[in-house]
Amino acid sequence: AFCKETRQGILADINSCKPALKVPPVPKLFNACVEGRKKGFDQTCVPICTNAEMTVSSYEGCQAITKKKGQKYVDWCRKGYDGIMQNIESFLVENPVSPKQEETTVEQS
């Protein structure tokens, strides 16, 4: 339930992606960062909450959504992906969740 209930709020914090608005091509790198945050949340929230092993790295998670766009896109996607993991971990330190409370699926947007 935690991942489903907090997804929108956690993803709304895009401060970690704002530096991409100063790097051309704008807003494509910013969008890559935001997409990385979404992908990262969807792939890491349940494992983080349940202390399960991560099965996908930020590089692997971003490869599909930045395919053929170049290394700059992959780098910004990974910044978003890795940043969201830190957001989730920080949130959980402040608001512990029992693994039994967490669902095994996350709603996609």
Side-chain angles (χ1 to χ4, degrees), residues 5-31:
E5 292 169 3
T6 60
R7 185 178 194 274
Q8 187 173 357
I10 289 176
L11 290 178
D13 178 12
I14 55 168
N15 287 329
S16 63
C17 293
K18 284 188 177 178
L21 290 171
K22 297 177 182 173
V23 182
V26 177
K28 292 179 180 179
L29 295 180
F30 174 78
N31 292 340

Side-chain angles (χ1 to χ4, degrees), residues 67-84:
K67 197 185 309 186
K68 299 181 183 174
K69 291 186 178 177
Q71 191 59 43
K72 262 203 291 195
Y73 290 89
V74 174
D75 291 345
W76 279 102
C77 177
R78 290 184 72 189
K79 285 179 187 183
Y81 192 107
D82 291 336
I84 201 72

Side-chain angles (χ1 to χ4, degrees), residues 81-101:
Y81 192 107
D82 291 336
I84 201 72
M85 286 177 29
Q86 293 170 354
N87 291 148
I88 294 168
E89 289 166 350
S90 297
F91 189 90
L92 286 173
V93 166
E94 296 166 17
N95 307 283
V97 174
S98 164
K100 292 178 184 173
Q101 292 176 318

